[in-house]
């Protein structure tokens, strides 16, 4: 089996679960840290000639991260494409199992069992916290409705204030975000790399939680430790 992954979190899942199957990945696929496969460009602009030159048996993709015209072009060239949809934690587990089975996994990996246990055994939050969750700056964009990251936060007791916005990733001016007066501003380090010196200064007087974007937005092995890692960052901001 020869697999090309166009999704960073799926790249990590396949690489650690089906050794040797992965032959290509995007430039944004940073895990495992020692990943040594051909690079095929970005998630939104993959170099289709590079993908096809690898003669994959399967390309794994995601309906949000990848563009349908690229996936259609791969199918037209005779390549099988598996497209995932992940907008909630339970859906992530189901799709991961589907992907790994399609990639030739002989058995269910231990990390997937550990991840499901970590999320199913979460204690009920003692109190709910309101938040705004910027994911980009210049212009400011935030989590909106129906997102995987939003579901992750909800299960950790965080209700983001744009969860019912008509758009999934709406543009909202910083002054409106400040005026919403959330309990906390959640600032992940991807896709925009918010840091202590780039982000919190836009929200004076509000508590800010700098969190790992990989643990907030990736659906793969990181799910096993995400409740602990994110929980620690959120609790630190609320102190």
């Amino acid at each position: 089996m020869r697999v090309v992954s166009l999704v960073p979190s799926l790249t990590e899942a396949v690489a650690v679960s089906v050794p040797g199957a992965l032959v290509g990945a995007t430039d944004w696929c940073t895990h495992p840290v020692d990943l040594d496969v051909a690079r095929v460009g970005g998630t939104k602009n993959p170099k289709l000639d590079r993908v096809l030159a690898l003669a994959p048996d399967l390309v794994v993709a995601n309906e949000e991260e990848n563009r349908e015209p690229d996936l259609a072009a791969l199918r037209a060239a005779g390549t099988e494409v598996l497209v995932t949809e992940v907008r909630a934690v339970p859906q992530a587990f189901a799709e991961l199992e589907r992907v790994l089975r399609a990639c030739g996994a002989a058995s269910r990996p231990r990390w997937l069992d550990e991840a499901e246990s970590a999320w199913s055994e979460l204690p009920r939050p003692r109190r709910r916290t309101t938040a705004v969750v910027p994911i980009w700056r210049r212009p400011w964009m935030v989590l909106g409705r129906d997102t995987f990251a939003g579901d992750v936060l909800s299960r950790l007791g965080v209700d983001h204030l744009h969860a019912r916005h008509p758009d999934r990733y709406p543009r909202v001016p910083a002054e409106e975000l400040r005026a919403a007066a959330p309990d906390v501003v959640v600032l992940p380090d991807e896709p925009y790399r918010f840091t202590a010196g780039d982000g919190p200064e836009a929200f004076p007087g509000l508590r800010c939680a700098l969190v790992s974007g990989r643990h907030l937005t990736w659906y793969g092995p990181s799910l096993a430790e995400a409740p602990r890692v994110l929980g620690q960052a959120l609790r630190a901001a609320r102190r």
Side-chain angles (χ1 to χ4, degrees):
M1 173 67 73
R2 295 174 60 82
V3 179
V4 171
S5 172
L6 301 181
V7 185
S9 53
L10 296 180
T11 295
E12 182 179 17
V14 174
V16 302
S17 306
V18 195
L22 198 69
V23 296
T26 75
D27 299 342
W28 298 102
C29 294
T30 58
H31 288 74
V33 293
D34 60 350
L35 184 66
D36 183 18
V37 297
R39 300 294 177 160
V40 298
T43 57
K44 301 296 186 187
N45 57 346
K47 306 297 184 184
L48 301 185
D49 56 340
R50 295 184 192 175
V51 175
L52 295 173
L54 293 169
D57 299 302
L58 180 69
V59 172
V60 293
N62 176 263
E63 51 90 27
E64 178 178 349
E65 294 204 44
N66 308 119
R67 300 185 316 126
E68 176 55 32
D70 293 324
L71 306 183
L74 291 171
R75 293 191 191 96
T79 300
E80 182 178 354
V81 180
L82 187 160
V83 182
T84 58
E85 179 181 300
V86 179
R87 302 192 182 187
V89 173
Q91 193 177 22
F93 296 136
E95 289 288 66
L96 283 163
E97 190 164 10
R98 182 168 74 103
V99 167
L100 296 177
R101 191 183 313 116
C103 291
S107 60
R108 182 182 168 94
R110 178 179 297 179
W111 65 259
L112 189 51
D113 289 332
E114 292 173 348
E116 284 208 74
S117 294
W119 285 96
S120 65
E121 296 169 5
L122 272 179
R124 181 184 295 273
R126 286 179 291 182
R127 65 184 178 94
R128 308 294 297 183
T129 299
T130 62
V132 295
V133 190
I135 58 165
W136 202 257
R137 185 171 190 169
R138 305 181 193 96
W140 287 95
M141 298 175 66
V142 298
L143 289 186
R145 64 169 180 84
D146 195 23
T147 66
F148 173 73
D151 188 58
V152 165
L153 289 171
S154 179
R155 292 167 188 273
L156 295 172
V158 178
D159 300 315
H160 73 90
L161 298 179
H162 297 88
R164 296 186 178 180
H165 194 282
D167 299 327
R168 296 185 66 214
Y169 300 101
R171 296 186 180 188
V172 183
E175 55 269 24
E176 289 187 25
L177 300 180
R178 292 190 292 267
D183 296 325
V184 64
V185 179
V186 178
L187 297 170
D189 61 9
E190 63 174 82
Y192 185 91
R193 187 172 180 79
F194 288 107
T195 66
D198 185 356
E201 82 290 344
F203 303 97
L206 294 176
R207 295 180 178 181
C208 293
L210 293 167
V211 304
S212 162
R214 175 168 168 260
H215 290 95
L216 178 62
T217 65
W218 287 35
Y219 33 90
S222 59
L223 278 172
E225 58 185 13
R228 174 182 58 81
V229 172
L230 294 173
Q232 288 175 345
L234 293 167
R235 286 192 296 272
R238 292 196 292 255
R239 288 175 186 155

